Amino acid sequence: MELSTDEGTVTVVGSLSSVGEGQRAKFSGKYISHPRFGVQFKAESFETELPEAKEDIALYLCSGLFEGIGPQTAARIAGRFGADTFDVIENAPERLTEIKGMTPKKAKKLAAEYRRLLEIKPIILFFGSYGLSAQNAVDAYYAYGSDVMRLVRSDPYILMEDAVGIPFKKCDELAFDLGIDREESVRINAALRYILKHNLGNGHTFLPKDKLIAACASAMGVDPSLAKTCLANLIEDGKLSFDGDIGGLEAVYLPEYYEAEKYLSSRITALARAKKQRTATAVKIAESEKKSGLVFNDDQKRAVDVCINSGISVLNGGPGTGKTTTLLCILDVLEALDKKILLAAPTGRAAKRMEELTGREAKTIHRLLEMERSEKNVNVFKKNEDDMLKGDYIIIDESSMADVLLMTALFKAMPEGMSLILVGDADQLPPVSAGNFFGNVVASGCVKTVTLTEIFRQAAESGIITASHEIIKGKAPSLDNNSRDFFYIRRETETEICATIADLCARRLPERYGLDPFSDIQVIGPTRKTRCGTEYLNAVLQNVLNGESREEKGLAANGYTFVPGDKVMQIENDYDILWTRGRGEAGSGIYNGDIGVVTAVDRTTRTVTVRFDDKTAVYAYDMIAELEPAFAVTVHKSQGSEFRAVIMPVFDAPKPLLNRCLLYTAVTRAKELFIFVGKSDIIGAMVENGRANVSYCGLKYLLKRRAEK
């Protein structure tokens, strides 16, 4: 913002919620020198005063702080009530109806928004005094109401919760500032929950009790007996959940994850035991063969029969084994039986690919369940136990990407009698979020599963498919470059690896194969960090493939500077963002994993326009955080997608990332061409490291426990 002072105009930057044009304000902070914008004042905290002059009151009212109040209405209010304007708004809002265009409803809304600002002001000051931003204060106010300061003084760790999202370390610093001792139970309790929550990102739905206690004691610098006592109290109070025998382990969960796994085990068991009227499929399968001109093998025919005649079933298989043609046959048979089928996948890219392969409409699971944001800014699903899905069968593709909370929401929206078919590849990477749902279902042995293993002759001619099957069997793929679609380029240093990848993208592959660096070629790697990680490679490839001046034409946001021509990826599902297509067609929704190209940057309005295939979307500045450069992406981010050509750097990285499952997933992203660039010994080490799927998840054991009853 620009601040008019006795010394001239000063540019102030920071988190400045609830400051409006026309106000007087006092800012505390320091001057900084921005390399591009020059001297600025970085505000760490601020105090505001209400304006007094009519002109300033009018500016304040129409500054955007109050929805629906434009310049004309603001001028009329300020002109009518003058210095008494704010007293009228707060204490006698019915008088606002004296103003032309102000209905009782609008007056009531303006009064409520004004009172909210008055309540927020001391909260902002309180947060600012401890180095927390105004936005943190606003988020906390919406989460906990006007009593938030009292709550924070007694337990500052409530600010870790999703609604506010302040990191544990910052909450810990605040706790010490507020006089909370390092051994107080409120601190240890928060640490135990934080460790469990942090490990959700590592795929774990629970942690063994002994490991959790040891981790907490070490991180907090306290005696393990204190952590053990606090943990027992949390379990007794129901704030954490405990199961004494999950695969022989004493498991501690966040309650929502334990309830999710128990619920899933109950529903899956019920579906697996459900008696369905037997449907003869042989004739229908033969009709599908005739229609498609294909001949299905025995496993494919058995898969069709199992999927159609089971309450829940799994179609599992790797590349080249006929999984897609089997799915098409299932659809043919179900449609011949006049069944209503719902198709979905965990991500937008996977849903789009499913739609392309089947020729039928497919949605993300989130969209199928009609996800929306609640007033408290959390995801809720309109489809649930009270408003269920309608249909006979639901088929989920790329099921290995689905986590336990998402699948719990899906099961809650499935009415009795609806059958579920899970399609996937159990050898793929598990989901980034907690709970290896698909892997646990397959491993439990409690659901009828058909795994396709025969590689069809045409597929067997592909070096990509041959290599992927070698990898998953624990055998290093051949790197002799005798294949027509699978290659290895030896490079020993990180500098050489990056330079070779840049040359492949910019020159060699476009010249030799006619591939487009933006739409056809994708660089995917094991990690974001290091000199060969995707963050560094994005900077290198941005420079080589898109030489636009970032200083002159770019818009900086979220740690990146975007310019026209940049390849970008949407990193979360956004069902509200508007897009246009062709001549006037419009719609909404851009999804996690969608890749596009920046077509325009407007530095005046601070917007970025992106073309995703045939759709164009305009991102306001506060939405740009949903975009990341996508010249290079991680293997996890590439899941559910296929690309004509894939290049993968292989280099020294943390051992947990260099595993067989990740390597297999990377190779299977390529349709026509796959190239390793780097060290051959790293490829061998990844093949030998087969422990990628080891995570603490209880679903498999809960399913087995129920099956034994």
Side-chain angles (χ1 to χ4, degrees):
M1 62 181 293
E2 288 189 338
L3 183 69
S4 178
T5 75
D6 293 339
E7 300 174 1
T9 300
V10 177
T11 299
V12 181
V13 297
S15 183
L16 305 171
S17 279
S18 80
V19 179
E21 190 175 2
Q23 271 187 295
R24 293 179 59 83
K26 181 170 69 175
F27 298 88
S28 299
K30 60 186 177 183
Y31 282 99
I32 60 173
S33 180
H34 190 281
R36 182 172 161 199
F37 299 111
V39 176
Q40 300 176 332
F41 188 83
K42 184 174 178 59
E44 296 169 353
S45 63
F46 64 90
E47 300 176 34
T48 60
E49 298 176 4
L50 290 171
E52 298 176 354
K54 288 183 180 180
E55 296 81 3
D56 289 339
I57 291 171
L59 280 172
Y60 177 66
L61 290 176
C62 68
S63 65
L65 292 173
F66 306 102
E67 188 178 349
I69 304 298
Q72 290 186 337
T73 303
R76 291 187 189 120
I77 294 172
R80 174 72 178 82
F81 300 111
D84 296 327
T85 295
F86 298 110
D87 183 58
V88 169
I89 292 173
E90 182 180 6
N91 300 308
E94 67 278 1
R95 290 189 61 193
L96 293 171
T97 58
E98 299 170 18
I99 305 299
K100 182 181 178 182
M102 285 296 291
T103 63
K105 184 177 179 180
K106 282 185 177 180
K108 186 177 180 180
K109 183 178 181 182
L110 175 58
E113 290 179 343
Y114 177 71
R115 294 187 189 111
R116 174 181 60 81
L117 283 176
L118 292 182
E119 283 187 335
I120 288 177
K121 183 177 178 181
I123 297 169
I124 291 174
L125 294 175
F126 170 75
F127 272 56
S129 68
Y130 290 102
L132 299 173
S133 73
Q135 189 60 55
N136 291 150
V138 172
D139 291 341
Y141 171 80
Y142 281 123
Y144 301 109
S146 57
D147 200 29
V148 65
M149 287 188 288
R150 182 189 65 79
L151 295 172
V152 168
R153 287 190 180 99
S154 62
D155 183 3
Y157 299 97
I158 63 171
L159 300 177
M160 289 193 313
E161 300 303 321
D162 290 341
V164 186
I166 295 176
F168 176 84
K169 185 178 179 181
K170 191 71 176 176
C171 291
D172 211 28
E173 293 171 358
L174 174 59
F176 287 131
D177 288 342
L178 291 169
I180 292 174
D181 188 78
R182 63 194 293 270
E183 293 190 344
E184 282 194 41
S185 60
V186 67
R187 179 172 184 255
I188 309 307
N189 291 347
L192 289 164
R193 287 183 54 82
Y194 166 72
I195 292 167
L196 286 169
K197 190 172 182 179
H198 173 77
N199 275 280
L200 296 174
N202 296 324
H204 307 305
T205 56
F206 74 87
L207 287 180
K209 179 181 175 181
D210 57 345
K211 289 184 179 293
L212 176 58
I213 291 171
C216 179
S218 175
M220 296 297 100
V222 299
D223 191 274
S225 63
L226 177 58
K228 185 176 182 179
T229 299
C230 288
L231 177 58
N233 291 335
L234 286 171
I235 292 170
E236 185 177 348
D237 293 342
K239 294 179 180 177
L240 293 179
S241 297
F242 177 77
D243 192 308
D245 184 19
I246 297 291
L249 299 172
E250 292 185 306
V252 182
Y253 287 83
L254 293 169
E256 59 268 36
Y257 283 88
Y258 188 49
E259 293 306 314
E261 289 196 337
K262 285 199 302 180
Y263 174 82
L264 285 171
S265 67
S266 173
R267 285 298 307 272
I268 290 169
T269 302
L271 277 172
R273 291 173 176 171
K275 300 294 184 183
K276 288 181 67 71
Q277 183 176 348
R278 177 72 190 175
T279 299
T281 59
V283 173
K284 299 296 182 185
I285 292 172
E287 291 174 355
S288 178
E289 285 180 315
K290 185 177 180 181
K291 172 185 171 184
S292 63
L294 299 171
V295 177
F296 301 119
N297 64 28
D298 290 343
D299 281 343
Q300 289 178 297
K301 292 176 181 178
R302 184 165 62 88
V304 175
D305 190 67
V306 166
C307 290
I308 287 172
N309 288 298
S310 303
I312 181 170
S313 57
V314 171
L315 173 59
N316 181 43
T321 58
K323 192 169 56 181
T324 297
T325 54
T326 305
L327 174 57
L328 290 171
C329 183
I330 291 170
L331 291 170
D332 284 343
V333 174
L334 288 176
E335 287 168 352
L337 295 170
D338 200 27
K339 301 296 184 181
K340 182 179 180 183
I341 313 157
L342 303 176
L343 302 181
T347 67
R349 292 283 289 188
K352 182 179 178 182
R353 184 163 166 259
M354 188 184 194
E355 198 167 79
E356 292 169 349
L357 291 172
T358 65
R360 284 112 168 149
E361 181 186 22
K363 299 179 179 180
T364 63
I365 299 175
H366 294 84
R367 191 162 196 117
L368 184 72
L369 299 178
E370 299 180 18
M371 189 193 82
E372 59 184 13
R373 300 293 282 180
S374 71
E375 291 182 359
K376 292 189 176 181
N377 204 33
V378 296
N379 293 339
V380 294
F381 296 104
K382 292 174 68 176
K383 291 297 180 184
N384 50 41
E385 302 99 322
D386 299 321
D387 182 14
M388 292 188 164
L389 297 166
K390 293 179 174 59
D392 301 303
Y393 288 78
I394 180 167
I395 302 176
I396 305 298
D397 198 12
E398 297 287 357
S399 297
S400 62
M401 299 174 68
D403 61 61
V404 295
L405 292 188
L406 181 59
M407 292 307 294
T408 298
L410 178 67
F411 273 90
K412 286 183 177 180
M414 286 175 54
E416 188 175 346
M418 177 180 277
S419 295
L420 175 64
I421 301 172
L422 299 168
V423 182
D425 182 350
D427 292 320
Q428 295 273 3
L429 281 171
V432 177
S433 44
N436 184 0
F437 169 81
F438 187 70
N440 273 232
V441 168
V442 173
S444 73
C446 299
V447 173
K448 289 183 179 179
T449 299
V450 179
T451 299
L452 304 178
T453 57
E454 180 184 337
I455 303 175
F456 286 85
R457 184 181 60 80
Q458 186 176 356
E461 296 174 359
S462 165
I464 294 171
I465 290 176
T466 300
S468 65
H469 285 273
E470 287 176 338
I471 289 167
I472 214 60
K473 291 174 183 176
K475 181 181 177 183
S478 173
L479 303 178
D480 59 15
N481 288 341
N482 289 329
S483 168
R484 59 183 174 83
D485 60 2
F486 186 84
F487 299 98
Y488 166 64
I489 300 175
R490 181 185 299 276
R491 294 292 184 267
E492 295 299 326
T493 69
E494 293 173 336
T495 301
E496 291 174 336
I497 292 171
C498 291
T500 300
I501 289 174
D503 190 40
L504 285 167
C505 291
R507 184 182 64 83
R508 291 169 63 178
L509 297 187
E511 287 180 1
R512 181 168 180 179
Y513 296 98
L515 295 171
D516 186 302
F518 292 86
S519 60
D520 298 331
I521 304 170
Q522 186 60 57
V523 177
I524 62 176
T527 178
R528 296 170 64 94
K529 304 301 181 181
T530 80
R531 282 292 296 271
C532 280
T534 58
E535 287 183 359
Y536 185 78
L537 277 168
N538 266 312
V540 170
L541 293 170
Q542 275 181 336
N543 184 54
V544 171
L545 297 173
N546 188 27
E548 290 278 9
S549 170
R550 297 187 183 275
E551 186 172 329
E552 295 178 6
K553 299 182 179 181
L555 182 64
N558 195 34
Y560 305 104
T561 300
F562 297 99
V563 298
D566 276 350
K567 185 177 181 179
V568 293
M569 174 183 278
Q570 175 80 11
I571 59 172
E572 60 184 71
N573 290 327
D574 188 332
Y575 297 92
D576 298 322
I577 187 168
L578 302 177
W579 51 259
T580 58
R581 177 168 55 196
R583 297 183 177 180
E585 183 183 353
S588 64
I590 303 294
Y591 309 118
N592 183 15
D594 284 355
I595 294 177
V597 176
V598 175
T599 58
V601 170
D602 190 321
R603 294 171 64 177
T604 302
T605 60
R606 299 207 299 174
T607 58
V608 170
T609 303
V610 183
R611 186 184 69 251
F612 297 93
D613 296 326
D614 58 347
K615 300 175 183 176
T616 298
V618 178
Y619 287 72
Y621 190 75
D622 61 349
M623 298 161 57
I624 299 175
E626 297 177 10
L627 296 173
E628 281 187 356
F631 293 101
V633 301
T634 62
V635 178
H636 276 98
K637 278 293 184 184
S638 73
Q639 279 184 274
S641 302
E642 278 192 335
F643 310 95
R644 288 187 65 188
V646 169
I647 304 170
M648 182 180 182
V650 281
F651 53 91
D652 293 309
K655 187 175 179 181
L657 293 172
L658 300 177
N659 60 70
R660 185 187 306 163
C661 185
L662 184 139
L663 187 68
Y664 172 77
T665 303
V667 172
T668 55
R669 298 310 91 203
K671 289 193 289 187
E672 299 175 19
L673 183 66
F674 185 90
I675 303 174
F676 283 124
V677 180
K679 302 179 178 181
S680 60
D681 60 322
I682 299 295
I683 300 171
M686 293 180 79
V687 173
E688 291 177 7
N689 181 12
R691 294 181 54 81
N693 288 321
V694 176
S695 58
Y696 294 117
C697 301
L699 181 58
K700 174 175 70 174
Y701 304 103
L702 292 169
L703 281 167
K704 288 182 175 181
R705 187 189 299 176
R706 283 187 175 274
E708 292 168 358
K709 290 182 179 180

